[in-house]
Amino acid sequence: MSSSMMSVTEETQVRKSHKLVVNNRKTSLVTGVLDVLSFDLNEILLETEQGMMMVKGSDLHVNRLSLEKGEVDLSGNIDSITYSDMKQTAKQGGKLLARLFH
C-alpha cells in the first residue's frame, strides 16, 4: 500500500515541477503548465506553477500540449520569455495581461 502512495506522491511532485528548456531559440519544452491562456504566431501566454509566462517571437506554434502531464512543446523564433507572479484566470481578459507584460 505504501508503494502505491509513494508513486502517486512522486507523480504529483513531477507534475508540479516547472522547467523551461530552450534549444537554439527555436524549440522549447515547458513543464509545470497549468493552462494555455492564449496563443498566436507572435505570443503565447501560459499559466505555470511559477506564475504567468509569456513567450514572444515570430512564427510561434504549440506543437504538443498535455495538461494532464503539465507539458507544452513550443517552436518558432523565440525573442523573449517573461514571467509574472500574478495568477491570472482566463475570465479577467487581455487588458490586465497587457498591463502586466508591457
Side-chain angles (χ1 to χ4, degrees), residues 25-59:
R25 291 180 55 192
K26 298 289 182 192
T27 61
S28 178
L29 166 66
V30 185
T31 65
V33 176
L34 302 174
D35 200 3
V36 176
L37 298 179
S38 68
F39 64 92
D40 61 34
L41 292 175
N42 300 311
E43 186 175 279
I44 299 172
L45 181 62
L46 306 172
E47 182 179 2
T48 75
E49 291 289 343
Q50 297 296 311
M52 303 305 296
M53 181 178 132
M54 181 176 286
V55 180
K56 289 188 177 186
S58 59
D59 199 28

Side-chain angles (χ1 to χ4, degrees), residues 31-95:
T31 65
V33 176
L34 302 174
D35 200 3
V36 176
L37 298 179
S38 68
F39 64 92
D40 61 34
L41 292 175
N42 300 311
E43 186 175 279
I44 299 172
L45 181 62
L46 306 172
E47 182 179 2
T48 75
E49 291 289 343
Q50 297 296 311
M52 303 305 296
M53 181 178 132
M54 181 176 286
V55 180
K56 289 188 177 186
S58 59
D59 199 28
L60 297 175
H61 298 279
V62 176
N63 293 326
R64 184 180 64 88
L65 168 63
S66 173
L67 290 179
E68 188 175 282
K69 291 182 178 180
E71 295 178 352
V72 175
D73 285 341
L74 308 175
S75 67
N77 301 309
I78 299 169
D79 293 333
S80 70
I81 298 170
T82 307
Y83 284 92
S84 170
D85 289 336
M86 181 175 223
K87 295 285 184 182
Q88 174 74 23
T89 63
K91 294 179 185 176
Q92 289 179 312
K95 289 184 182 179

